[in-house]
Amino acid sequence: MCKTVGRLLALLLVIIPVTVTVTAFLFCLIVRPNVVKFHVTDATLAQFSYTNNTLYYDLTLIVEVRNPNTNIRIHYNYMEEVALYQNLKLCSLILGTYIQPHKNTAVLTPVFKGQQVMSLNKDHILETYNDEKRSGIYHIDFKLYLKVKFDLGVYKTKNMKSTVTCNLQLPLQSYNGTSTAGRFQLTRCNFDYKHILFIF
């Protein structure tokens, strides 16, 4: 009896991994999932100045979100856009829900404009700010905090959290709309999808 149970358990330990592997292989073969691509294609930094513990900013971005998949629609059930400087939050925007069709490119145009009371007098942040002020190029992070579902028609995943990070190098524009530090370069963003069930 004990030998029979032992053999059965050993057989299950072999069958289950094989079944999971075959299922995953067939899924990838049929659906052919691809990574969703995020790019900041253009950016305008019209103001970025620090006075009396207050940071003044005026930043406009153009962000392209490409769903390259043929059979997968993407449900964005939560999308928060955040601008950060040296890991300090400047501003955040909450967007409405959106369903992105397959083989589609969506365009986001977030505008971050305002002021934030903060102290840069720690962890060499003020030193970094002064260096960037002299160079005319500021390093600002743009992040998207997402809750998404993937829709295959007959099957939808559960809501899954993910983060998109764009490390931007932004030349400050002068009053006539030009920049002595050059033009903004298209930036590819990092899509953190390690918690998503699909292996793209």
Side-chain angles (χ1 to χ4, degrees), residues 137-149:
I137 297 179
Y138 294 88
H139 294 75
I140 296 175
D141 291 333
F142 170 70
K143 292 194 175 188
L144 285 167
Y145 296 105
L146 307 174
K147 288 182 183 178
V148 296
K149 286 184 180 180

Side-chain angles (χ1 to χ4, degrees), residues 114-182:
Q115 59 192 58
Q116 186 70 266
V117 176
M118 59 175 59
S119 176
L120 301 185
N121 296 309
K122 58 181 180 180
D123 301 329
H124 305 290
I125 295 178
L126 185 58
E127 181 181 343
T128 299
Y129 168 80
N130 287 329
D131 288 342
E132 294 181 347
K133 183 178 180 180
R134 284 189 288 271
S135 71
I137 297 179
Y138 294 88
H139 294 75
I140 296 175
D141 291 333
F142 170 70
K143 292 194 175 188
L144 285 167
Y145 296 105
L146 307 174
K147 288 182 183 178
V148 296
K149 286 184 180 180
F150 294 91
D151 182 357
L152 286 77
V154 296
Y155 172 73
K156 293 180 184 177
T157 68
K158 63 180 182 179
N159 262 326
M160 291 172 282
K161 294 181 180 180
S162 187
T163 303
V164 177
T165 303
C166 313
N167 304 120
L168 306 177
Q169 298 184 44
L170 299 166
L172 181 65
Q173 280 196 348
S174 61
Y175 291 107
N176 62 4
T178 62
S179 171
T180 58

